[in-house]
Amino acid sequence: MALLKNLIAHNSALSLIDTSTSLRQALQIHAHLLTSGAFTHDPSSFNSFLSSLALSSSPPLLSYSYSLLFSSPPHSPNLLTVNSLIRAHSSGPSPHLCFSLYRHLLSLSLAPNHFTFTFLLRAAASTVGLLGPVIHGALTRYGCGTDRHVQSSLIHMYSSLGLVSHTRVIFRDIIDPDLVTITSMLTALAESGDVDSAREMFDEMPERDTVSWNAMIAGYVHVGRSKDGLDLFGEMLNQGAKVNEPTMVSVLTACAHLGALDQGTWVHAYIQKNRLKLNVTLGTSLLDMYFKCGSIERAMKVFWSMRDKNVFTWNSAINGLAMNGEVEECLKLFELMESQGVIPDGVTFVGLLQGCCVAGLVQKGREMFSLMKDRYGIEPLDEHYGCMIDMYGRAGKLDEAVQFIHNMPIEPNVSAWRTLLHSCKMYNNVELGEYAMNKITHIEVNSDGAHVLLSNIYADCRNWKGVSRVRERMKEKGVRKEPGCSVIEVHGAVYEFFVRDKSQPRYREIKLMLGEVDRRLRLAGYRANTKEVLFDIEEEDKEDAISWHSEKLAIAFGLIALEEGVEMRIVKNLRVCWDCHDWTKFVSKVFDRKIIVRDRNRFHHFKDGLCSCKDYW
DNA sequence: GTAGGGTTAG
């Protein structure tokens, strides 16, 4: 206490407020400042005290500063103090409080300035509701609309509300846009999905810095154009631009999407070599990349090496283990997460439920579902219901699946019914399949996946009439099957293959290889299963068409381009069909190759003629 | 004495 008094005597009690200060200590300091008469002696010290509380980056102190502001006349806070409170709240847990602070500011007859508005716009960008445009009106009245900081914040705010046309208007009115405002606009365009316009803008920029490169790369990755993102990153390196942590996060995300393990590994080495800081975000994207490339060991190595973990980190690991079929590990990790006091969220449970689903752990899945609601008070969303339906359905418990759908408190969406339809396909239940299809077409006419599934159900039981009926309907409604696409990485370069794509530069070679594979597989006992082929092609082409499924092209290319014994990693946008799954098992045996296929839902690790999914997917 | 653009999980 002697030390404390001493500090107060030197008017630096404020320096005691730091990140490690507890609310209790803050109250003590406050009490001392009050009783020692510091506030009356020096009225400005109250302002400093408030600002220090707000800027301590501790949620309890932040909310204490909030309540203090409203309850402490006669010490009138000045504009700077209120601004710092607004600033602190704008990036804190309750940004909406900024607007009460703003009203309070006005009630004190203080005039807001451009600082005030940049903070308010930041808050408006991260809160639901349409206060942004109201703030926009206010700042115009206060003459702050021409300030650069305000302008870029406005673009950011409108972009986060999804109002890209408004961002264009703001940008148009900027007389001499600078690096930052251009980058804001570029980001807004990319986030609206118009990456090509963003790229045009990027190419025309008179100068670029790390942030603008990052914005463009992230823009590509965000809309799923990961390959373009990686290409641009290559250009960034070529031009000698400085790379930092956010750059690497986007690049790793791109590698994860593409399953590009070689590039991802290179990035990992680059991070180490250049001493980039492996913070929570970067660490999480790194481990996620390893998981999505099917490298469980390396992913977990990163996980255990991370000192700081947040819920994203845990979720990535839990989900990664589940998707790779390591369900026991996944459940263990969840226990550890709970024991460390980390609060799971809805995403955590998506991972857990999917894990139970792919492992056929019905009872465990039920327990998790209750745990989520009862212990954690998390309201299940479509995706959680989807997991449950899938879990029952895959396990052959179709009655329970239907019952579950009927008991859902929310309206089942298309994917709920499609999941059921998928189970009907697995267990040849035509009647229930038709029922599900009927529900689907009432919600969404152009459900390509559902039409394909139903036609396959009919094909399974040789109901050719049913097949052609579905075909007719698809033609009528103009439903097109989403084209399958598989990606393979060879020596650090990424190659994309589309179903029946003949425009590949090495098409002839691949075709020859497919023929060779076919011969050797037949000798080993493989027989093509043509039932699942969508009947948008003539009967005699069926077998040929099957051999053109995109993963077969990618695997054939891998056999040509990769050295013997090197494992192959494929990423596919759809689920693997039964025939391709069977074919790949044979390839793994006949060609003695480890093949890892990541499909829309999960991983398949093929080795010695077997798959890690145990043919349950 | 406060400020604007870029980063993670299903």
Side-chain angles (χ1 to χ4, degrees):
Chain A
M1 223 25 100
L3 176 70
L4 181 64
K5 281 191 177 151
N6 203 14
L7 282 166
I8 292 167
H10 290 89
N11 196 23
S12 47
L14 320 165
S15 66
L16 286 177
I17 308 275
D18 59 33
T19 47
S20 58
T21 307
S22 68
L23 183 57
R24 214 177 105 86
Q25 288 168 316
L27 287 165
Q28 276 179 355
I29 296 168
H30 188 200
H32 272 271
L33 287 168
L34 280 171
T35 51
S36 69
F39 292 155
T40 35
H41 183 70
D42 175 12
S44 74
S45 67
F46 177 69
N47 281 316
S48 314
F49 178 62
L50 266 185
S51 308
S52 307
L53 282 176
L55 301 174
S56 68
S57 73
S58 144
L61 298 200
L62 184 60
S63 53
Y64 187 51
S65 74
Y66 181 85
S67 49
L68 224 49
L69 182 78
F70 288 91
S71 63
S72 45
H75 314 290
S76 263
N78 59 21
L79 178 62
L80 188 68
T81 304
V82 185
N83 277 354
S84 57
L85 257 73
I86 296 179
R87 172 190 161 203
H89 278 88
S90 71
S91 50
S94 326
H96 62 275
L97 294 178
C98 290
F99 307 112
S100 316
L101 289 165
Y102 176 63
R103 275 194 297 276
H104 191 63
L105 183 150
L106 296 177
S107 76
L108 293 166
S109 304
L110 291 169
N113 62 7
H114 33 272
F115 288 100
T116 320
F117 288 118
T118 49
F119 305 141
L120 286 173
L121 289 169
R122 190 200 288 167
S126 59
T127 31
V128 284
L130 288 172
L131 277 167
V134 178
I135 301 295
H136 186 186
L139 70 89
T140 310
R141 286 196 300 281
Y142 281 99
C144 295
T146 52
D147 181 87
R148 281 196 187 290
H149 297 262
V150 171
Q151 287 166 327
S152 50
S153 303
L154 275 169
I155 292 174
H156 177 72
M157 180 274 292
Y158 278 119
S159 169
S160 68
L161 295 182
L163 299 168
V164 71
S165 54
H166 292 241
T167 66
R168 285 210 180 88
V169 175
I170 308 282
F171 188 71
R172 198 193 54 206
D173 291 344
I174 299 176
I175 297 171
D176 185 21
D178 66 353
L179 186 57
V180 178
T181 38
I182 297 174
T183 307
S184 307
M185 191 57 220
L186 183 161
T187 307
L189 288 170
E191 278 173 357
S192 75
D194 191 358
V195 265
D196 293 321
S197 297
R199 180 59 189 263
E200 259 176 54
M201 194 163 228
F202 179 79
D203 287 338
E204 284 167 13
M205 285 174 84
E207 51 165 348
R208 296 181 197 106
D209 65 0
T210 301
V211 178
S212 41
W213 281 99
N214 289 357
M216 194 60 234
I217 294 172
Y220 277 128
V221 178
H222 189 72
V223 297
R225 283 172 58 177
S226 299
K227 201 168 178 301
D228 290 329
L230 288 187
D231 290 345
L232 192 63
F233 171 62
E235 216 172 296
M236 181 180 182
L237 290 177
N238 278 339
Q239 298 204 5
K242 191 173 153 28
V243 166
N244 65 5
E245 288 80 5
T247 322
M248 290 324 204
V249 172
S250 293
V251 171
L252 285 170
T253 306
C255 293
H257 287 162
L258 294 165
L261 183 59
D262 291 349
Q263 293 207 41
T265 306
W266 183 88
V267 172
H268 191 178
Y270 185 96
I271 289 168
Q272 289 171 328
K273 200 173 126 208
N274 292 277
R275 308 256 163 131
L276 291 175
K277 216 170 148 253
L278 203 66
N279 55 29
V280 194
T281 310
L282 186 52
T284 302
S285 46
L286 184 62
L287 84 91
D288 194 56
M289 179 279 293
Y290 278 130
F291 268 126
K292 296 233 166 82
C293 293
S295 183
I296 306 163
E297 298 78 18
R298 283 196 263 179
M300 286 313 283
K301 203 174 156 203
V302 174
F303 178 82
W304 295 120
S305 76
M306 286 172 66
R307 258 199 323 132
D308 298 327
K309 302 182 182 75
N310 62 16
V311 71
F312 280 75
T313 320
W314 288 95
N315 287 353
S316 277
I318 285 174
N319 191 66
L321 288 169
M323 292 302 91
N324 280 280
E326 300 284 338
V327 181
E328 263 178 49
E329 280 303 306
C330 158
L331 294 170
K332 263 195 221 154
L333 204 65
F334 176 63
E335 279 176 26
L336 188 66
M337 178 183 181
E338 282 189 301
S339 72
Q340 296 199 0
V342 185
I343 309 293
D345 62 11
V347 179
T348 320
F349 283 97
V350 172
L352 291 165
L353 293 174
Q354 279 180 345
C356 294
C357 175
V358 299
L361 301 173
V362 175
Q363 188 46 36
K364 191 75 192 169
R366 278 199 198 104
E367 280 170 33
M368 287 296 167
F369 192 69
S370 314
L371 189 74
M372 165 169 108
K373 294 191 295 184
D374 303 340
R375 191 190 298 174
Y376 293 104
I378 299 168
E379 211 39 57
L381 301 174
D382 285 329
E383 47 268 40
H384 302 106
Y385 291 114
C387 289
M388 294 301 283
I389 298 162
D390 204 14
M391 184 181 77
Y392 288 126
R394 274 164 203 266
K397 299 174 186 297
L398 295 183
D399 290 343
E400 277 181 79
V402 180
Q403 204 59 44
F404 188 85
I405 293 188
H406 287 155
N407 289 336
M408 277 169 60
I410 58 174
E411 197 58 39
N413 64 8
V414 170
S415 81
W417 291 114
R418 195 168 40 220
T419 305
L420 182 68
L421 185 59
H422 190 261
S423 310
C424 295
K425 157 84 180 63
M426 282 177 84
Y427 292 96
N428 293 325
N429 191 326
V430 180
E431 201 182 329
L432 193 57
E434 285 173 337
Y435 172 72
M437 188 67 195
N438 188 27
K439 293 283 188 184
I440 290 167
T441 43
H442 274 94
I443 309 172
E444 183 185 291
V445 180
N446 298 321
S447 179
D448 64 329
H451 282 87
V452 175
L453 275 170
L454 186 65
S455 95
N456 288 339
I457 292 178
Y458 287 136
D460 269 349
C461 56
R462 313 201 170 277
N463 179 347
W464 307 120
K465 261 192 188 159
V467 171
S468 58
R469 213 164 50 232
V470 178
R471 265 173 80 187
E472 283 307 311
R473 192 156 70 205
M474 287 180 77
K475 247 188 221 162
E476 222 174 83
K477 307 274 183 198
V479 182
R480 298 284 312 164
K481 189 177 186 258
E482 181 184 341
C485 172
S486 293
V487 171
I488 184 171
E489 186 189 44
V490 173
H491 303 137
V494 171
Y495 298 85
E496 281 178 323
F497 294 88
F498 288 89
V499 60
R500 287 192 294 280
D501 181 8
K502 299 189 176 174
S503 66
Q504 276 298 325
R506 299 176 72 171
Y507 161 74
R508 283 180 59 84
E509 260 179 285
I510 293 169
K511 195 175 172 187
L512 283 172
M513 179 50 100
L514 278 169
E516 166 71 10
V517 173
D518 236 38
R519 268 189 300 282
R520 290 180 58 179
L521 258 50
R522 274 168 202 279
L523 285 174
Y526 163 77
R527 292 291 172 269
N529 175 348
T530 56
K531 279 191 305 189
E532 284 190 44
V533 181
L534 178 65
F535 288 77
D536 57 357
I537 37 180
E538 297 307 316
E539 191 75 9
E540 59 268 29
D541 288 341
K542 255 196 286 173
E543 193 151 335
D544 183 44
I546 258 193
S547 56
W548 290 104
H549 267 175
S550 62
E551 58 267 54
K552 289 191 176 174
L553 295 173
I555 290 171
F557 180 67
L559 287 172
I560 296 167
L562 286 170
E563 295 73 23
E564 238 170 79
V566 175
E567 69 176 28
M568 229 185 266
R569 288 177 318 279
I570 313 285
V571 175
K572 184 176 186 191
N573 64 339
L574 304 173
R575 285 195 197 188
V576 180
C577 83
W578 183 265
D579 175 65
C580 285
H581 194 265
D582 208 31
W583 186 87
T584 311
K585 284 201 292 187
F586 271 96
V587 172
S588 76
K589 187 172 176 193
V590 173
F591 290 80
D592 194 21
R593 281 277 179 170
K594 206 174 155 195
I595 303 173
I596 302 172
V597 177
R598 185 180 101 198
D599 74 9
R600 183 176 266 193
N601 277 354
R602 61 166 298 157
F603 281 87
H604 302 266
H605 296 253
F606 295 95
K607 198 177 170 233
D608 299 330
L610 297 172
C611 178
S612 62
C613 76
K614 303 186 182 76
D615 302 335
Y616 185 79
W617 84 95

